[in-house]
mmCIF file of all heavy atoms in Angstrom:
data_model
loop_
_atom_site.group_PDB
_atom_site.id
_atom_site.type_symbol
_atom_site.label_atom_id
_atom_site.label_comp_id
_atom_site.label_asym_id
_atom_site.label_seq_id
_atom_site.Cartn_x
_atom_site.Cartn_y
_atom_site.Cartn_z
ATOM 1 N N PRO A 1 10.447 -29.108 1.566
ATOM 2 C CA PRO A 1 9.748 -27.936 1.231
ATOM 3 C C PRO A 1 10.159 -27.315 -0.057
ATOM 4 O O PRO A 1 9.185 -26.754 -0.770
ATOM 5 C CB PRO A 1 10.141 -27.042 2.427
ATOM 6 C CG PRO A 1 10.635 -27.904 3.532
ATOM 7 C CD PRO A 1 11.303 -28.993 2.846
ATOM 8 N N ARG A 2 11.422 -27.287 -0.455
ATOM 9 C CA ARG A 2 11.835 -26.789 -1.746
ATOM 10 C C ARG A 2 11.203 -27.527 -2.897
ATOM 11 O O ARG A 2 10.812 -26.897 -3.920
ATOM 12 C CB ARG A 2 13.305 -26.703 -1.696
ATOM 13 C CG ARG A 2 13.922 -26.034 -3.046
ATOM 14 C CD ARG A 2 13.544 -24.551 -3.091
ATOM 15 N NE ARG A 2 14.084 -23.810 -2.010
ATOM 16 C CZ ARG A 2 15.183 -23.127 -2.088
ATOM 17 N NH1 ARG A 2 15.866 -22.990 -3.221
ATOM 18 N NH2 ARG A 2 15.688 -22.402 -1.078
ATOM 19 N N LEU A 3 11.174 -28.834 -2.776
ATOM 20 C CA LEU A 3 10.576 -29.574 -3.906
ATOM 21 C C LEU A 3 9.049 -29.335 -3.995
ATOM 22 O O LEU A 3 8.604 -29.178 -5.167
ATOM 23 C CB LEU A 3 10.867 -31.115 -3.472
ATOM 24 C CG LEU A 3 10.210 -32.110 -4.602
ATOM 25 C CD1 LEU A 3 10.799 -31.936 -5.973
ATOM 26 C CD2 LEU A 3 10.332 -33.543 -4.105
ATOM 27 N N VAL A 4 8.338 -29.342 -2.941
ATOM 28 C CA VAL A 4 6.885 -29.184 -2.972
ATOM 29 C C VAL A 4 6.492 -27.787 -3.362
ATOM 30 O O VAL A 4 5.560 -27.626 -4.235
ATOM 31 C CB VAL A 4 6.319 -29.487 -1.605
ATOM 32 C CG1 VAL A 4 4.748 -29.299 -1.648
ATOM 33 C CG2 VAL A 4 6.596 -30.908 -1.182
ATOM 34 N N VAL A 5 7.180 -26.728 -2.894
ATOM 35 C CA VAL A 5 6.753 -25.432 -3.212
ATOM 36 C C VAL A 5 7.311 -24.983 -4.659
ATOM 37 O O VAL A 5 6.586 -24.290 -5.333
ATOM 38 C CB VAL A 5 7.351 -24.346 -2.173
ATOM 39 C CG1 VAL A 5 7.171 -23.003 -2.637
ATOM 40 C CG2 VAL A 5 6.725 -24.755 -0.780
ATOM 41 N N GLY A 6 8.408 -25.469 -4.978
ATOM 42 C CA GLY A 6 9.025 -24.980 -6.352
ATOM 43 C C GLY A 6 8.924 -26.041 -7.469
ATOM 44 O O GLY A 6 9.807 -25.776 -8.431
ATOM 45 N N ILE A 7 8.033 -26.891 -7.359
ATOM 46 C CA ILE A 7 8.149 -27.957 -8.390
ATOM 47 C C ILE A 7 7.878 -27.410 -9.761
ATOM 48 O O ILE A 7 8.314 -27.795 -10.806
ATOM 49 C CB ILE A 7 7.127 -29.113 -8.070
ATOM 50 C CG1 ILE A 7 7.313 -30.241 -9.120
ATOM 51 C CG2 ILE A 7 5.774 -28.641 -7.986
ATOM 52 C CD1 ILE A 7 8.614 -30.966 -9.060
ATOM 53 N N ASN A 8 6.949 -26.352 -9.812
ATOM 54 C CA ASN A 8 6.605 -25.749 -11.133
ATOM 55 C C ASN A 8 7.721 -25.010 -11.853
ATOM 56 O O ASN A 8 7.617 -24.801 -13.009
ATOM 57 C CB ASN A 8 5.365 -24.762 -10.932
ATOM 58 C CG ASN A 8 4.111 -25.384 -10.440
ATOM 59 O OD1 ASN A 8 3.662 -26.293 -11.188
ATOM 60 N ND2 ASN A 8 3.615 -25.112 -9.366
ATOM 61 N N GLU A 9 8.712 -24.571 -11.073
ATOM 62 C CA GLU A 9 9.822 -23.859 -11.669
ATOM 63 C C GLU A 9 11.098 -24.690 -11.737
ATOM 64 O O GLU A 9 12.176 -24.199 -11.921
ATOM 65 C CB GLU A 9 10.162 -22.594 -10.812
ATOM 66 C CG GLU A 9 8.949 -21.688 -10.808
ATOM 67 C CD GLU A 9 9.207 -20.486 -9.856
ATOM 68 O OE1 GLU A 9 10.225 -20.465 -9.168
ATOM 69 O OE2 GLU A 9 8.299 -19.645 -9.799
ATOM 70 N N MET A 10 10.990 -26.029 -11.389
ATOM 71 C CA MET A 10 12.153 -26.922 -11.332
ATOM 72 C C MET A 10 12.337 -27.753 -12.610
ATOM 73 O O MET A 10 11.391 -28.226 -13.242
ATOM 74 C CB MET A 10 11.983 -27.857 -10.120
ATOM 75 C CG MET A 10 13.152 -28.560 -9.642
ATOM 76 S SD MET A 10 12.795 -29.454 -8.107
ATOM 77 C CE MET A 10 12.553 -28.135 -6.937
ATOM 78 N N GLU A 11 13.607 -27.845 -13.007
ATOM 79 C CA GLU A 11 13.942 -28.705 -14.106
ATOM 80 C C GLU A 11 13.717 -30.167 -13.764
ATOM 81 O O GLU A 11 13.762 -30.611 -12.591
ATOM 82 C CB GLU A 11 15.440 -28.544 -14.428
ATOM 83 C CG GLU A 11 15.851 -27.227 -14.969
ATOM 84 C CD GLU A 11 16.154 -26.163 -13.884
ATOM 85 O OE1 GLU A 11 15.851 -26.505 -12.735
ATOM 86 O OE2 GLU A 11 16.716 -25.193 -14.303
ATOM 87 N N GLU A 12 13.319 -30.930 -14.710
ATOM 88 C CA GLU A 12 13.063 -32.354 -14.490
ATOM 89 C C GLU A 12 14.097 -33.069 -13.864
ATOM 90 O O GLU A 12 13.963 -33.925 -12.940
ATOM 91 C CB GLU A 12 12.625 -33.045 -15.727
ATOM 92 C CG GLU A 12 12.076 -34.539 -15.510
ATOM 93 C CD GLU A 12 11.575 -35.199 -16.731
ATOM 94 O OE1 GLU A 12 11.624 -34.485 -17.873
ATOM 95 O OE2 GLU A 12 11.089 -36.356 -16.687
ATOM 96 N N ASP A 13 15.407 -32.858 -14.237
ATOM 97 C CA ASP A 13 16.549 -33.668 -13.707
ATOM 98 C C ASP A 13 16.709 -33.355 -12.200
ATOM 99 O O ASP A 13 17.073 -34.282 -11.439
ATOM 100 C CB ASP A 13 17.767 -33.365 -14.423
ATOM 101 C CG ASP A 13 17.866 -33.896 -15.859
ATOM 102 O OD1 ASP A 13 17.185 -34.955 -16.043
ATOM 103 O OD2 ASP A 13 18.606 -33.386 -16.661
ATOM 104 N N ILE A 14 16.438 -32.190 -11.796
ATOM 105 C CA ILE A 14 16.629 -31.832 -10.417
ATOM 106 C C ILE A 14 15.481 -32.419 -9.571
ATOM 107 O O ILE A 14 15.674 -33.041 -8.488
ATOM 108 C CB ILE A 14 16.577 -30.287 -10.138
ATOM 109 C CG1 ILE A 14 17.811 -29.652 -10.823
ATOM 110 C CG2 ILE A 14 16.484 -29.908 -8.680
ATOM 111 C CD1 ILE A 14 17.859 -28.092 -10.696
ATOM 112 N N ALA A 15 14.284 -32.395 -10.069
ATOM 113 C CA ALA A 15 13.122 -33.031 -9.433
ATOM 114 C C ALA A 15 13.367 -34.455 -9.303
ATOM 115 O O ALA A 15 13.122 -35.157 -8.225
ATOM 116 C CB ALA A 15 11.860 -32.749 -10.216
ATOM 117 N N LEU A 16 13.902 -35.174 -10.288
ATOM 118 C CA LEU A 16 14.091 -36.615 -10.277
ATOM 119 C C LEU A 16 15.239 -36.876 -9.320
ATOM 120 O O LEU A 16 15.256 -37.870 -8.531
ATOM 121 C CB LEU A 16 14.581 -37.069 -11.664
ATOM 122 C CG LEU A 16 13.430 -37.336 -12.713
ATOM 123 C CD1 LEU A 16 13.946 -37.614 -14.053
ATOM 124 C CD2 LEU A 16 12.570 -38.572 -12.325
ATOM 125 N N GLY A 17 16.162 -36.003 -9.244
ATOM 126 C CA GLY A 17 17.304 -36.137 -8.260
ATOM 127 C C GLY A 17 16.853 -36.115 -6.865
ATOM 128 O O GLY A 17 17.175 -36.948 -5.963
ATOM 129 N N LEU A 18 15.909 -35.122 -6.542
ATOM 130 C CA LEU A 18 15.342 -35.079 -5.240
ATOM 131 C C LEU A 18 14.508 -36.330 -4.914
ATOM 132 O O LEU A 18 14.619 -36.883 -3.741
ATOM 133 C CB LEU A 18 14.568 -33.781 -5.085
ATOM 134 C CG LEU A 18 15.346 -32.578 -5.002
ATOM 135 C CD1 LEU A 18 14.393 -31.307 -5.286
ATOM 136 C CD2 LEU A 18 16.126 -32.368 -3.718
ATOM 137 N N LEU A 19 13.705 -36.700 -5.867
ATOM 138 C CA LEU A 19 12.829 -37.981 -5.619
ATOM 139 C C LEU A 19 13.655 -39.184 -5.461
ATOM 140 O O LEU A 19 13.391 -40.027 -4.623
ATOM 141 C CB LEU A 19 11.883 -38.084 -6.775
ATOM 142 C CG LEU A 19 10.780 -37.095 -6.923
ATOM 143 C CD1 LEU A 19 10.028 -37.224 -8.287
ATOM 144 C CD2 LEU A 19 9.790 -37.090 -5.770
ATOM 145 N N GLU A 20 14.758 -39.232 -6.153
ATOM 146 C CA GLU A 20 15.659 -40.453 -6.048
ATOM 147 C C GLU A 20 16.307 -40.436 -4.643
ATOM 148 O O GLU A 20 16.544 -41.547 -3.949
ATOM 149 C CB GLU A 20 16.694 -40.422 -7.103
ATOM 150 C CG GLU A 20 17.657 -41.592 -7.036
ATOM 151 C CD GLU A 20 18.718 -41.553 -8.116
ATOM 152 O OE1 GLU A 20 18.512 -40.802 -9.146
ATOM 153 O OE2 GLU A 20 19.777 -42.075 -7.944
ATOM 154 N N THR A 21 16.620 -39.203 -4.113
ATOM 155 C CA THR A 21 17.132 -39.126 -2.787
ATOM 156 C C THR A 21 16.163 -39.575 -1.734
ATOM 157 O O THR A 21 16.477 -40.435 -0.808
ATOM 158 C CB THR A 21 17.551 -37.713 -2.514
ATOM 159 O OG1 THR A 21 18.503 -37.240 -3.490
ATOM 160 C CG2 THR A 21 18.168 -37.591 -1.095
ATOM 161 N N PHE A 22 14.999 -39.179 -1.825
ATOM 162 C CA PHE A 22 13.891 -39.563 -0.884
ATOM 163 C C PHE A 22 13.612 -41.058 -1.060
ATOM 164 O O PHE A 22 13.383 -41.742 0.000
ATOM 165 C CB PHE A 22 12.606 -38.836 -1.029
ATOM 166 C CG PHE A 22 12.775 -37.281 -0.995
ATOM 167 C CD1 PHE A 22 11.784 -36.451 -1.549
ATOM 168 C CD2 PHE A 22 13.763 -36.791 -0.194
ATOM 169 C CE1 PHE A 22 11.944 -35.124 -1.368
ATOM 170 C CE2 PHE A 22 13.945 -35.429 -0.056
ATOM 171 C CZ PHE A 22 12.985 -34.567 -0.628
ATOM 172 N N HIS A 23 13.684 -41.606 -2.165
ATOM 173 C CA HIS A 23 13.516 -43.037 -2.377
ATOM 174 C C HIS A 23 14.635 -43.876 -1.672
ATOM 175 O O HIS A 23 14.291 -44.862 -1.105
ATOM 176 C CB HIS A 23 13.395 -43.307 -3.887
ATOM 177 C CG HIS A 23 12.867 -44.681 -4.233
ATOM 178 N ND1 HIS A 23 13.071 -45.327 -5.508
ATOM 179 C CD2 HIS A 23 12.154 -45.584 -3.472
ATOM 180 C CE1 HIS A 23 12.420 -46.527 -5.404
ATOM 181 N NE2 HIS A 23 11.989 -46.737 -4.232
ATOM 182 N N LEU A 24 15.831 -43.385 -1.869
ATOM 183 C CA LEU A 24 16.963 -44.095 -1.324
ATOM 184 C C LEU A 24 16.815 -44.153 0.227
ATOM 185 O O LEU A 24 17.053 -45.228 0.878
ATOM 186 C CB LEU A 24 18.193 -43.418 -1.549
ATOM 187 C CG LEU A 24 19.567 -43.963 -0.861
ATOM 188 C CD1 LEU A 24 19.819 -45.363 -1.445
ATOM 189 C CD2 LEU A 24 20.679 -43.027 -0.943
ATOM 190 N N ILE A 25 16.248 -43.122 0.827
ATOM 191 C CA ILE A 25 16.108 -43.150 2.282
ATOM 192 C C ILE A 25 15.039 -44.179 2.682
ATOM 193 O O ILE A 25 15.197 -44.827 3.672
ATOM 194 C CB ILE A 25 15.582 -41.679 2.761
ATOM 195 C CG1 ILE A 25 16.777 -40.739 2.633
ATOM 196 C CG2 ILE A 25 15.135 -41.682 4.234
ATOM 197 C CD1 ILE A 25 16.485 -39.402 2.894
ATOM 198 N N LEU A 26 13.986 -44.188 1.815
ATOM 199 C CA LEU A 26 12.947 -45.281 2.152
ATOM 200 C C LEU A 26 13.519 -46.682 1.927
ATOM 201 O O LEU A 26 13.051 -47.550 2.702
ATOM 202 C CB LEU A 26 11.755 -45.070 1.340
ATOM 203 C CG LEU A 26 10.939 -43.735 1.653
ATOM 204 C CD1 LEU A 26 9.807 -43.529 0.597
ATOM 205 C CD2 LEU A 26 10.380 -43.742 3.004
ATOM 206 N N LEU A 27 14.288 -46.911 0.969
ATOM 207 C CA LEU A 27 14.956 -48.179 0.718
ATOM 208 C C LEU A 27 15.914 -48.700 1.776
ATOM 209 O O LEU A 27 15.854 -49.801 2.070
ATOM 210 C CB LEU A 27 15.547 -48.135 -0.686
ATOM 211 C CG LEU A 27 14.707 -48.189 -1.887
ATOM 212 C CD1 LEU A 27 15.596 -47.967 -3.150
ATOM 213 C CD2 LEU A 27 13.789 -49.346 -2.023
ATOM 214 N N LEU A 28 16.678 -47.697 2.210
ATOM 215 C CA LEU A 28 17.603 -48.063 3.308
ATOM 216 C C LEU A 28 16.960 -47.853 4.593
ATOM 217 O O LEU A 28 17.387 -47.252 5.568
ATOM 218 C CB LEU A 28 18.791 -47.118 3.228
ATOM 219 C CG LEU A 28 19.802 -47.315 2.111
ATOM 220 C CD1 LEU A 28 20.932 -46.308 2.137
ATOM 221 C CD2 LEU A 28 20.442 -48.751 2.149
ATOM 222 N N HIS A 29 15.674 -48.367 4.677
ATOM 223 C CA HIS A 29 14.918 -48.179 5.917
ATOM 224 C C HIS A 29 15.480 -48.876 7.147
ATOM 225 O O HIS A 29 15.940 -50.046 7.031
ATOM 226 C CB HIS A 29 13.522 -48.645 5.696
ATOM 227 C CG HIS A 29 13.303 -50.055 5.356
ATOM 228 N ND1 HIS A 29 13.491 -50.640 4.072
ATOM 229 C CD2 HIS A 29 13.015 -51.168 6.140
ATOM 230 C CE1 HIS A 29 13.267 -51.938 4.174
ATOM 231 N NE2 HIS A 29 12.962 -52.251 5.387
ATOM 232 N N SER A 30 15.507 -48.141 8.224
ATOM 233 C CA SER A 30 15.859 -48.772 9.491
ATOM 234 C C SER A 30 14.693 -48.508 10.523
ATOM 235 O O SER A 30 14.918 -47.712 11.376
ATOM 236 C CB SER A 30 17.222 -48.114 9.886
ATOM 237 O OG SER A 30 17.046 -46.745 9.971
ATOM 238 N N SER A 31 13.641 -49.262 10.383
ATOM 239 C CA SER A 31 12.437 -49.168 11.187
ATOM 240 C C SER A 31 12.038 -47.742 11.404
ATOM 241 O O SER A 31 11.430 -47.188 10.615
ATOM 242 C CB SER A 31 12.772 -49.931 12.492
ATOM 243 O OG SER A 31 13.863 -49.275 13.183
ATOM 244 N N ILE A 32 12.281 -47.127 12.598
ATOM 245 C CA ILE A 32 11.855 -45.944 13.011
ATOM 246 C C ILE A 32 12.140 -44.849 11.958
ATOM 247 O O ILE A 32 11.320 -43.996 11.705
ATOM 248 C CB ILE A 32 12.392 -45.571 14.400
ATOM 249 C CG1 ILE A 32 11.888 -46.589 15.471
ATOM 250 C CG2 ILE A 32 11.881 -44.223 14.845
ATOM 251 C CD1 ILE A 32 12.477 -46.457 16.751
ATOM 252 N N ASN A 33 13.368 -44.718 11.524
ATOM 253 C CA ASN A 33 13.758 -43.661 10.630
ATOM 254 C C ASN A 33 12.857 -43.602 9.409
ATOM 255 O O ASN A 33 12.493 -42.599 9.023
ATOM 256 C CB ASN A 33 15.262 -43.792 10.251
ATOM 257 C CG ASN A 33 16.160 -43.556 11.327
ATOM 258 O OD1 ASN A 33 16.806 -44.529 11.919
ATOM 259 N ND2 ASN A 33 16.322 -42.346 11.818
ATOM 260 N N ALA A 34 12.709 -44.845 8.719
ATOM 261 C CA ALA A 34 11.936 -44.880 7.547
ATOM 262 C C ALA A 34 10.454 -44.439 7.775
ATOM 263 O O ALA A 34 9.876 -43.730 6.911
ATOM 264 C CB ALA A 34 12.028 -46.250 6.930
ATOM 265 N N VAL A 35 9.860 -45.014 8.847
ATOM 266 C CA VAL A 35 8.473 -44.649 9.186
ATOM 267 C C VAL A 35 8.313 -43.230 9.396
ATOM 268 O O VAL A 35 7.385 -42.482 8.947
ATOM 269 C CB VAL A 35 7.998 -45.402 10.448
ATOM 270 C CG1 VAL A 35 6.582 -45.051 10.792
ATOM 271 C CG2 VAL A 35 8.024 -46.839 10.140
ATOM 272 N N GLU A 36 9.287 -42.538 10.104
ATOM 273 C CA GLU A 36 9.191 -41.099 10.415
ATOM 274 C C GLU A 36 9.309 -40.378 9.141
ATOM 275 O O GLU A 36 8.568 -39.358 8.938
ATOM 276 C CB GLU A 36 10.306 -40.653 11.349
ATOM 277 C CG GLU A 36 10.069 -41.132 12.805
ATOM 278 C CD GLU A 36 11.244 -40.705 13.733
ATOM 279 O OE1 GLU A 36 12.240 -40.247 13.259
ATOM 280 O OE2 GLU A 36 11.080 -40.890 14.924
ATOM 281 N N PHE A 37 10.195 -40.677 8.279
ATOM 282 C CA PHE A 37 10.403 -39.940 6.964
ATOM 283 C C PHE A 37 9.086 -40.148 6.080
ATOM 284 O O PHE A 37 8.622 -39.268 5.490
ATOM 285 C CB PHE A 37 11.602 -40.459 6.242
ATOM 286 C CG PHE A 37 11.980 -39.553 5.056
ATOM 287 C CD1 PHE A 37 12.452 -38.252 5.224
ATOM 288 C CD2 PHE A 37 11.830 -40.017 3.775
ATOM 289 C CE1 PHE A 37 12.670 -37.450 4.152
ATOM 290 C CE2 PHE A 37 12.092 -39.200 2.646
ATOM 291 C CZ PHE A 37 12.545 -37.958 2.889
ATOM 292 N N ALA A 38 8.546 -41.386 6.086
ATOM 293 C CA ALA A 38 7.353 -41.701 5.300
ATOM 294 C C ALA A 38 6.256 -40.805 5.807
ATOM 295 O O ALA A 38 5.500 -40.286 4.914
ATOM 296 C CB ALA A 38 7.077 -43.234 5.389
ATOM 297 N N GLU A 39 6.173 -40.655 7.072
ATOM 298 C CA GLU A 39 5.064 -39.845 7.625
ATOM 299 C C GLU A 39 5.282 -38.298 7.294
ATOM 300 O O GLU A 39 4.283 -37.585 7.155
ATOM 301 C CB GLU A 39 4.985 -40.040 9.125
ATOM 302 C CG GLU A 39 4.380 -41.435 9.504
ATOM 303 C CD GLU A 39 4.394 -41.721 11.014
ATOM 304 O OE1 GLU A 39 5.133 -40.856 11.695
ATOM 305 O OE2 GLU A 39 3.860 -42.645 11.518
ATOM 306 N N SER A 40 6.494 -37.899 7.129
ATOM 307 C CA SER A 40 6.835 -36.674 6.713
ATOM 308 C C SER A 40 6.412 -36.353 5.264
ATOM 309 O O SER A 40 5.772 -35.271 5.013
ATOM 310 C CB SER A 40 8.311 -36.298 6.789
ATOM 311 O OG SER A 40 8.779 -36.391 8.165
ATOM 312 N N LEU A 41 6.512 -37.298 4.396
ATOM 313 C CA LEU A 41 6.088 -37.227 2.981
ATOM 314 C C LEU A 41 4.560 -37.181 3.102
ATOM 315 O O LEU A 41 4.001 -36.362 2.312
ATOM 316 C CB LEU A 41 6.537 -38.388 2.235
ATOM 317 C CG LEU A 41 8.096 -38.501 2.064
ATOM 318 C CD1 LEU A 41 8.403 -39.747 1.161
ATOM 319 C CD2 LEU A 41 8.697 -37.266 1.488
ATOM 320 N N ILE A 42 3.944 -37.967 3.835
ATOM 321 C CA ILE A 42 2.490 -38.104 3.822
ATOM 322 C C ILE A 42 1.946 -36.740 4.346
ATOM 323 O O ILE A 42 0.806 -36.261 3.903
ATOM 324 C CB ILE A 42 1.994 -39.225 4.743
ATOM 325 C CG1 ILE A 42 2.249 -40.557 4.056
ATOM 326 C CG2 ILE A 42 0.474 -39.127 5.046
ATOM 327 C CD1 ILE A 42 1.431 -40.765 2.811
ATOM 328 N N SER A 43 2.674 -36.084 5.293
ATOM 329 C CA SER A 43 2.057 -34.888 5.961
ATOM 330 C C SER A 43 1.933 -33.758 4.949
ATOM 331 O O SER A 43 1.156 -32.781 5.204
ATOM 332 C CB SER A 43 2.959 -34.488 7.170
ATOM 333 O OG SER A 43 4.209 -34.141 6.630
ATOM 334 N N ILE A 44 2.632 -33.690 3.850
ATOM 335 C CA ILE A 44 2.544 -32.613 2.870
ATOM 336 C C ILE A 44 1.617 -33.008 1.697
ATOM 337 O O ILE A 44 1.665 -32.349 0.710
ATOM 338 C CB ILE A 44 3.942 -32.199 2.443
ATOM 339 C CG1 ILE A 44 4.804 -33.383 1.861
ATOM 340 C CG2 ILE A 44 4.725 -31.513 3.571
ATOM 341 C CD1 ILE A 44 4.577 -33.575 0.442
ATOM 342 N N GLY A 45 0.873 -34.112 1.874
ATOM 343 C CA GLY A 45 -0.078 -34.566 0.810
ATOM 344 C C GLY A 45 0.695 -35.153 -0.410
ATOM 345 O O GLY A 45 0.657 -34.749 -1.558
ATOM 346 N N TRP A 46 1.508 -36.257 -0.091
ATOM 347 C CA TRP A 46 2.367 -36.773 -1.024
ATOM 348 C C TRP A 46 1.635 -37.359 -2.359
ATOM 349 O O TRP A 46 2.155 -37.416 -3.439
ATOM 350 C CB TRP A 46 3.216 -37.823 -0.432
ATOM 351 C CG TRP A 46 4.370 -38.345 -1.342
ATOM 352 C CD1 TRP A 46 4.411 -39.436 -2.087
ATOM 353 C CD2 TRP A 46 5.527 -37.544 -1.637
ATOM 354 N NE1 TRP A 46 5.595 -39.450 -2.899
ATOM 355 C CE2 TRP A 46 6.225 -38.247 -2.612
ATOM 356 C CE3 TRP A 46 5.984 -36.314 -1.236
ATOM 357 C CZ2 TRP A 46 7.461 -37.834 -3.101
ATOM 358 C CZ3 TRP A 46 7.166 -35.892 -1.708
ATOM 359 C CH2 TRP A 46 7.916 -36.506 -2.663
ATOM 360 N N PHE A 47 0.364 -37.952 -2.089
ATOM 361 C CA PHE A 47 -0.254 -38.622 -3.156
ATOM 362 C C PHE A 47 -0.663 -37.544 -4.262
ATOM 363 O O PHE A 47 -0.446 -37.688 -5.497
ATOM 364 C CB PHE A 47 -1.470 -39.371 -2.781
ATOM 365 C CG PHE A 47 -1.190 -40.589 -1.901
ATOM 366 C CD1 PHE A 47 -1.137 -40.533 -0.502
ATOM 367 C CD2 PHE A 47 -0.861 -41.733 -2.516
ATOM 368 C CE1 PHE A 47 -0.775 -41.630 0.192
ATOM 369 C CE2 PHE A 47 -0.590 -42.884 -1.854
ATOM 370 C CZ PHE A 47 -0.456 -42.866 -0.458
#
């Protein structure tokens, strides 16, 4: 929520750090966990 709502006021390094964190979670996917987190991203209009 902090990333999506506050992206306009966020430094690029912090935004990249958050995105890298989310990317790691998807890369270390363990079936159900990755799908649930992917759906959480989709639910806020990720595209």
